[in-house]
Amino acid sequence: MTEQITALDVSDVRFPTSRQLDGSDAMNPEPDYSATYVTVRTSGGAEGHGLAFTIGRGNEVQAEAVRALAPLVVGLPVADLLADIGAFSRRLTGDGQLRWLGPAKGVIHMAAAAVDNAVWDLAGRLAGKPVWRLLAEMTPEQLVDLVDFRYLRDALTRDEALAILRAAEPGRAERTALLLESGYPAYTTSPGWLGYTDDKLVRLAKEAVADGFTQIKLKVGADPEADLRRVRLAREAVGPDIRIAIDANQAWGVEEAIERLRPLAPHAPYWIEEPTSPDDILGHAAIRHAVAPIRVATGEHCQNQVMFKQLLQAEAIDVLQIDASRVAGVTENVAILLLAARFGVPVCPHAGGVGLCEMVQHLAMFDYVAVSGSTEDRVIEYVDHLHEHFTEPVEVRAGRYTAPLAPGLGARLRPESVAAHRYPDGPVWRADA
């Protein structure tokens, strides 16, 4: 019989990171890093795992949105689904009634991301390949078939996308070998959570440099005096040659962002991330013009490929930050990587959350091998917590991501971790009550 998708299981998994203020920032002072965890099962016994990242309350809403998509998935022949994942992605995001809840934004779009990621994990596992390599070995024609160009053609046509991919094609084998040998550059946010003491910030910043990182990131945006003190302490701790990125997590208005960055400029911040509302394209452009040479970065809350297109068209950002589960998963991120290559803007993925490091590394590595062909001014974010809950956790050596070799997308949680952290009945949460 034809192998079919038989189930779409979803779990509300939450980790009590607020207890140590891991992940704390100006807008999210006490997050509990959480995963809307999805497992796609087939009649042949295969599984694919994906997730959408949230920070606690509301994860149950995200889980219900995934369940609403189940009728679009269960019953599909596996071979047909994997032969045209682009069509499957459009099925998820284009349902005649569910689409109204977005369209292509918010909880319903993140639900599509969790499912799309699970399907790519399934594809990688069935092929016996990590997803970065699965993507990097697809033909340019197969890759552009993933992309919905309907709203992109004024900035990126199918022919332009094909030209980008064909230009990179001759160097794929060499870059794959280099990636396997040397890995991909990383930066770490672990020293810079807003709730950490000054002493902890300084200690962790020095440890990051000793571990081989050439860029760290600090959270800013709450108190101006504290921002200046923390950036100064970090600069003194790491010296002049280490890049220090700063992240306001949307805390400021446009004019406020420009003013708040002036006293920080002497300490040479490399980029300011999310200086204002993620939806304010013209605001980002105004900030970028006013604060140069500080770069402007955003993307972790960018809703979809159309928003990214406009940020690029408006010359509003210097650094594009894809996220593994904010847009509609791997499939939509392929389109965004092609847009970034078309405009010549480097991609530095966001990965501060449950499973984001595990998943987004595949996208950056695919970009290097088959799209941009470059790691210049490109780094993947790294945070050093919660990886122990995954069956294929990321591995970072000397400030670089090691290319994953295991099949799939890396999003499979350990069953015992799911059982312990399932909300609200897992032992971790019963004990907390």
Side-chain angles (χ1 to χ4, degrees):
M1 294 181 64
T2 301
E3 186 175 14
Q4 294 183 332
I5 303 295
T6 55
L8 183 69
D9 298 337
V10 59
S11 299
D12 181 344
V13 181
R14 308 187 193 187
F15 299 90
T17 51
S18 61
R19 296 173 186 173
Q20 302 299 323
L21 297 180
D22 297 334
S24 53
D25 61 54
M27 297 295 279
N28 309 287
E30 295 180 318
D32 285 322
Y33 275 16
S34 305
T36 302
Y37 181 57
V38 173
T39 302
V40 173
R41 304 185 191 277
T42 80
S43 56
E47 296 180 355
H49 307 274
L51 59 85
F53 166 63
T54 75
I55 60 168
R57 287 186 296 276
N59 201 42
E60 72 281 3
V61 178
Q62 188 66 72
E64 284 303 316
V66 171
R67 294 186 182 104
L69 294 175
L72 302 176
V73 183
V74 175
L76 291 179
V78 173
D80 292 349
L81 188 164
L82 299 185
D84 194 349
I85 298 182
F88 171 71
S89 177
R90 292 186 282 277
R91 175 183 175 90
L92 286 180
T93 59
D95 179 84
Q97 295 184 5
L98 291 173
R99 184 181 182 275
W100 186 265
L101 301 179
K105 63 177 71 71
V107 170
I108 196 66
H109 207 49
M110 292 172 68
V115 176
D116 184 83
N117 288 335
V119 165
W120 277 102
D121 184 67
L122 174 66
R125 292 178 184 277
L126 290 174
K129 299 176 182 178
V131 166
W132 70 264
R133 192 152 198 166
L134 182 69
L135 286 165
E137 292 178 357
M138 293 172 69
T139 67
E141 290 76 16
Q142 289 173 321
L143 289 168
V144 296
D145 283 345
L146 297 173
V147 178
D148 183 352
F149 286 97
R150 176 174 32 176
Y151 302 132
L152 302 184
R153 292 189 187 100
D154 57 321
L156 176 72
T157 66
R158 179 185 175 88
D159 286 345
E160 288 169 336
L162 279 171
I164 290 168
L165 293 165
R166 287 171 179 160
E169 202 169 15
R172 284 186 183 186
E174 180 182 0
R175 288 190 293 273
T176 296
L178 286 170
L179 181 64
L180 291 168
E181 178 184 352
S182 303
Y184 196 103
Y187 78 92
T188 180
T189 304
S190 297
W193 301 117
L194 200 63
Y196 286 0
T197 65
D198 289 353
D199 288 345
K200 188 171 184 178
L201 182 158
V202 170
R203 174 174 59 82
L204 293 176
K206 290 180 177 178
E207 290 177 3
V209 175
D211 288 340
F213 291 99
T214 58
Q215 180 174 323
I216 65 171
K217 188 167 77 181
L218 307 183
K219 299 294 184 174
V220 297
D223 176 67
E225 292 183 3
D227 287 349
L228 180 57
R229 184 185 72 252
R230 284 161 50 83
V231 172
R232 176 179 55 79
L233 287 171
R235 178 57 71 201
E236 291 171 354
V238 303
D241 298 326
I242 299 297
R243 290 176 174 176
I244 299 177
I246 55 175
D247 184 357
N249 289 96
Q250 313 162 31
W252 301 322
V254 174
E255 293 180 355
E256 184 184 11
I258 295 167
E259 290 302 314
R260 289 285 293 270
L261 288 167
R262 292 191 202 281
L264 304 181
H267 300 290
Y270 181 63
W271 76 52
I272 174 61
E273 182 173 333
E274 287 200 310
T276 192
S277 165
D279 300 333
D280 192 349
I281 293 164
L282 298 183
H284 277 85
I287 293 167
R288 179 175 181 253
H289 177 75
V291 304
I294 301 173
R295 293 161 176 81
V296 169
T298 198
E300 70 182 83
H301 282 83
C302 188
Q303 302 171 22
N304 52 51
Q305 62 190 28
V306 176
M307 290 286 293
F308 276 112
K309 178 192 77 169
Q310 293 182 56
L311 284 164
L312 292 165
Q313 287 175 317
E315 299 182 350
I317 54 174
D318 300 282
V319 178
L320 188 151
Q321 296 175 302
I322 57 172
D323 183 273
S325 68
R326 175 67 58 175
V327 301
V330 171
T331 307
E332 189 171 14
N333 270 307
V334 170
I336 295 164
L337 290 169
L338 286 164
L339 279 167
R342 170 71 177 80
F343 284 85
V345 172
V347 176
C348 297
H350 167 249
V354 181
L356 298 186
C357 294
E358 277 73 17
M359 293 189 295
V360 82
Q361 63 178 334
H362 292 268
L363 300 170
M365 292 175 187
F366 156 67
D367 174 67
Y368 168 55
V369 173
V371 185
S372 70
S374 175
T375 59
E376 184 177 357
D377 289 335
R378 297 163 188 266
V379 279
I380 307 171
E381 184 175 22
Y382 174 71
V383 296
D384 63 356
H385 52 270
L386 304 176
H387 302 297
E388 67 274 15
H389 298 291
F390 290 86
T391 59
E392 296 100 19
V394 296
E395 185 175 356
V396 173
R397 299 177 187 168
R400 299 176 75 89
Y401 275 78
T402 299
L405 303 178
L409 191 59
R412 183 172 184 262
L413 283 164
R414 296 184 179 278
E416 60 270 25
S417 291
V418 175
H421 295 87
R422 186 181 287 113
Y423 188 85
D425 59 333
V428 167
W429 295 105
R430 290 202 306 270
D432 192 53

